[in-house]
Amino acid sequence: MRYCFQLQVRPERMTEYVERHQSVWPEMQDALRATGWRNYSLFLRADGLLIGYVEADDLEASQAAMAALDVNTRWQAEMAGFFAGGGPNDEGFPLLTEVFHLSESSQETP
């Protein structure tokens, strides 16, 4: 399954947010992989709009598994101040509805 979400990074914290994500803790990256997060990307627009994309078999299960880990608790505590509205951004991000996907294979009929 593919999931896409959006958050709003505070404009005055965008530079630091980008810097933090250039060196995500190795143990945080390992935890994401171990709990089923795949092909995870974040995209940041100049006004602070953050779009996230992740693939997971079951996003809710992956989120719950991450929530139980100390490394995630520490990471989320450090990241909460970057977002408009504050709070743990790994639990409350609004998912976007997929309206189109170009698959890898051709859907041609003979």
Side-chain angles (χ1 to χ4, degrees), residues 61-101:
S62 293
Q63 287 175 297
M66 281 300 291
L69 299 176
D70 178 64
V71 67
N72 185 61
T73 301
R74 290 184 286 119
W75 179 264
Q76 297 308 327
E78 289 200 16
M79 292 294 110
F82 286 93
F83 297 98
N89 59 305
D90 66 330
E91 295 172 7
F93 51 69
L95 293 176
L96 304 176
T97 301
E98 182 176 302
V99 296
F100 175 78
H101 173 74

Side-chain angles (χ1 to χ4, degrees), residues 7 9 14-15 17-18 42-51:
L7 294 166
V9 176
M14 285 177 37
T15 300
Y17 182 83
V18 170
L42 297 172
F43 301 87
L44 184 61
R45 197 167 70 180
D47 65 357
L49 177 67
L50 182 77
I51 299 294

Side-chain angles (χ1 to χ4, degrees), residues 3-7 37 40 54 59 63 88-95:
Y3 301 93
C4 185
F5 60 89
Q6 71 178 44
L7 294 166
W37 296 63
Y40 184 26
V54 64
L59 184 60
Q63 287 175 297
N89 59 305
D90 66 330
E91 295 172 7
F93 51 69
L95 293 176

